[in-house]
Amino acid sequence: MSTFVIPAFVAVLVGCGLAVLAFVPFVAISYRRRGGLTFWHTLVWLAAAVYAMALWTYTLLPMPSAAEVTCAAVQLRPFQFVADILSFDTGSARALMTNPAVLQVVLNVVLFVPLGWFVRQLAGRGIIVATMTGLAASALIEFTQITGIWGLYSCAYRVFDVDDLMMNTFGAILGSLASLLLLRRQKGLEETDAPRPITVTRRLTGILCDLLIWGLFGWTVSIIYMFFMTVLGGGTVTEPEPIVTFIGFALPFAAQLFSVLSRGVTLGERLVLISAVQVRRPAEANRMLRFLFGIGGCMLLSQWTFPLSGLLLFALVAVSAVMVFTTRRHRGLACVVSGIEIDDVRATAAAVPVSTNE
């Protein structure tokens, strides 16, 4: 059971982790190329991330210890699977359904069917690209196996089989063909330049992007520092210095401050194409208010250690969350306090008259 459960668990865990890391650029690209974000499109991309990890985990895991490695054979004869199937009982449908060689071929085909489907659904490419992608992905996996994970082991611990290349590629072709029947055309997102309403989902997506920019940047700086210090220190793990932690906090803080003071909106709001269309005078002072009652205040309170900082942070987040649902155009607490109105960037651009020289 662990042969299937462990790779599945690792694939879901790592795939979701990759999806979180890629969420901010995914949002930015979706709003600019497709005009917005839909649940279906997001779900498909999440499934693609988990599936990409599943390809690796199911073909490479579990990894044996170096002392337990048994060198595997190399199978270079095309269609050897036919002889393998005939070497077992094939006298009835039941026998074929339980034939180990048949099951191996079916699993190799089924494993790559989603790849062909994703190629058409996400990249908009047809059978030729799906075929080449399936062949390339399968070859990468097979050569990773035959080289003992590129030299990590002294020899291959899984069989290199040319039939696997063929069946994997065939699975990608089937997936591409099946996608023709199941392809869902996204309605309402064809005109990417058309203004769209400010919804709760859109506001929450922008807020989530702000939080990820803040958290992931600091985490990335710390991880990079620990990696290099571990390498230079001969394998000894080193905790980040205070200056490293400060840099991880200060750079996204400064970027958010500049964005709010110059445009009236946060980085996350800019990613989802939200703009400030009206700022109460004096504009600079009210933009600073917006920053302090929004992402800036949350970042500062998270760093301060005075007795009420945690309570104030919780209150700020809770009130802001409630007001996103209850205020006009879902402006939230920071916009209400600062007197800032928000709208779709495309609506703002369309409202600006274009000057012409006669």
Side-chain angles (χ1 to χ4, degrees), residues 64-345:
S65 65
E68 298 176 344
V69 170
T70 301
C71 295
V74 177
Q75 202 293 104
L76 299 177
R77 181 181 299 175
F79 300 103
Q80 175 62 35
F81 69 87
V82 176
D84 293 340
I85 291 173
L86 295 177
S87 66
F88 295 93
D89 182 16
T90 58
S92 65
R94 179 184 178 85
L96 285 174
M97 292 176 63
T98 57
N99 188 314
V102 171
L103 294 176
Q104 179 69 27
V105 171
V106 172
L107 288 175
N108 280 328
V109 173
V110 171
L111 184 62
F112 272 67
V113 167
L115 179 61
W117 188 83
F118 285 129
V119 167
R120 185 182 295 275
Q121 186 79 10
L122 297 178
R125 301 294 182 173
I127 293 178
I128 295 178
V129 174
T131 302
M132 299 305 297
T133 303
L135 178 61
S138 180
L140 179 60
I141 292 171
E142 294 295 326
F143 279 106
T144 298
Q145 292 176 338
I146 198 174
T147 57
I149 311 185
W150 307 103
L152 183 62
Y153 295 98
S154 58
C155 62
Y157 64 91
R158 291 200 176 188
V159 176
F160 176 94
D161 194 337
V162 70
D163 284 342
D164 289 350
L165 285 172
M166 297 164 52
M167 294 300 101
N168 292 159
T169 305
F170 179 62
I173 294 173
L174 288 182
S176 179
L177 292 173
S179 186
L180 286 173
L181 303 176
L182 301 175
L183 187 64
R184 295 181 56 175
R185 300 291 181 181
Q186 300 301 305
K187 297 181 179 180
L189 293 180
E190 291 84 357
E191 298 179 5
T192 58
D193 294 332
R196 308 193 188 285
I198 307 296
T199 62
V200 170
T201 301
R202 188 171 176 183
R203 289 286 285 119
L204 293 178
T205 301
I207 293 171
L208 179 58
C209 287
D210 283 327
L211 296 177
L212 288 175
I213 291 170
W214 168 20
L216 292 179
F217 186 86
W219 178 79
T220 302
V221 170
S222 297
I223 291 296
I224 292 174
Y225 173 82
M226 292 174 62
F227 172 78
F228 280 105
M229 294 305 295
T230 301
V231 172
L232 296 175
T236 303
V237 178
T238 304
E239 291 293 327
E241 297 288 341
I243 185 62
V244 176
T245 305
F246 174 76
I247 291 173
F249 169 81
L251 290 182
F253 181 84
Q256 291 284 15
L257 177 61
F258 177 78
S259 179
V260 174
L261 292 182
S262 61
R263 299 286 187 89
V265 291
T266 65
L267 296 175
E269 289 166 338
R270 294 172 69 173
L271 290 176
V272 297
L273 302 183
I274 292 176
S275 66
V277 296
Q278 180 182 340
V279 182
R280 188 173 59 201
R281 300 294 179 182
E284 292 75 12
N286 282 292
R287 284 175 176 172
M288 179 57 74
L289 273 178
R290 204 223 152 159
F291 179 71
L292 293 176
F293 278 86
I295 185 65
C298 291
M299 295 181 74
L300 288 173
L301 288 172
S302 70
Q303 299 300 305
W304 289 343
T305 57
F306 62 88
L308 295 179
S309 60
L311 181 61
L312 288 176
L313 177 59
F314 174 79
L316 179 60
V317 172
V319 173
S320 299
V322 170
M323 293 187 69
V324 165
F325 287 87
T326 58
T327 52
R328 183 179 70 256
R329 288 196 175 185
H330 311 289
R331 293 186 301 157
L333 174 64
C335 286
V336 171
V337 170
S338 60
I340 291 179
E341 298 287 346
I342 56 175
D343 200 355
D344 189 295
V345 168

